[in-house]
Amino acid sequence: MLDTPQATLSSLQPLASPKSRYRISDAVFESLSESIRNLRLPPGSPISEPAIAASLQVSRSPVREAITRLVDLGLVSVVPQVGSRIAPISLREVDEAVFIRRALETSAFTYAIRDVRPDVSEIQGHVNANAAAAAEGDAERFFETDELIHQAVFILAGVPRLWDVVRGTKMQLDRLRRLHLDAALSSEDLLAEHQALVDALADRDLPRAPP
């Protein structure tokens, strides 16, 4: 149900004690961001400072700061006299995220194969786990292993921090992907693309890498 803030905010867990030099508002922001990314807070969900503060067991001040940041990022919409809601998915930002990920991943692939044949054992393990998750209908594990597959390309290229850049740009893309997870689970083409990526890395063959 999406008709009350408590209905969607009940999935939020109390925050752990923040690390030194780590503001509570940052922890609240990360908790809410991830809940928006993984659709625990789906588009259109009403939210409120008191409900969030109660769920996370923090005061309202850091919640207010976190919501302001989410509004600035276009993830929360504020309607006067109505309240705050999780914003719809921006298809324009989805297209931008696809472009950025494709460009950076292609460059990472090139780096990964430039000198020697990369060790593809780890990424092959992720591909196998992804296929197993699809066969079992485990949507969460399927999504996680899909992420690990793409992250592994950047690790093989020796630029693991670039994955953080990619992940930072694809909030809207991840929301859309999660909406269509059921279709992805049954997509043989997607599984074939993952294996093709590993085979292309092993053969150091950029033209064979899926787009």
Side-chain angles (χ1 to χ4, degrees), residues 100-173:
I100 292 169
R101 189 177 83 167
R102 183 172 295 159
L104 291 179
E105 191 167 308
T106 299
S107 295
F109 185 102
T110 303
Y111 266 67
I113 65 173
R114 71 187 185 282
D115 294 324
V116 297
R117 179 184 183 276
D119 181 359
V120 297
S121 57
E122 184 172 352
I123 189 172
Q124 182 65 67
H126 296 324
V127 168
N128 294 343
N130 183 256
E136 296 166 5
D138 187 339
E140 189 61 34
R141 183 62 177 155
F142 180 84
F143 189 93
E144 291 173 357
T145 50
D146 183 89
E147 291 285 280
L148 290 172
I149 290 167
H150 294 283
Q151 182 180 14
V153 176
F154 293 89
I155 294 173
L156 287 172
V159 288
R161 288 190 297 175
L162 269 185
W163 175 251
D164 295 330
V165 175
V166 172
R167 193 169 189 274
T169 66
K170 68 188 189 76
M171 167 73 81
Q172 303 288 2
L173 174 59

Side-chain angles (χ1 to χ4, degrees), residues 166-185:
V166 172
R167 193 169 189 274
T169 66
K170 68 188 189 76
M171 167 73 81
Q172 303 288 2
L173 174 59
D174 285 347
R175 297 171 77 197
L176 186 65
R177 288 169 62 207
R178 285 201 175 262
L179 280 179
H180 298 286
L181 259 184
D182 287 344
L185 280 170

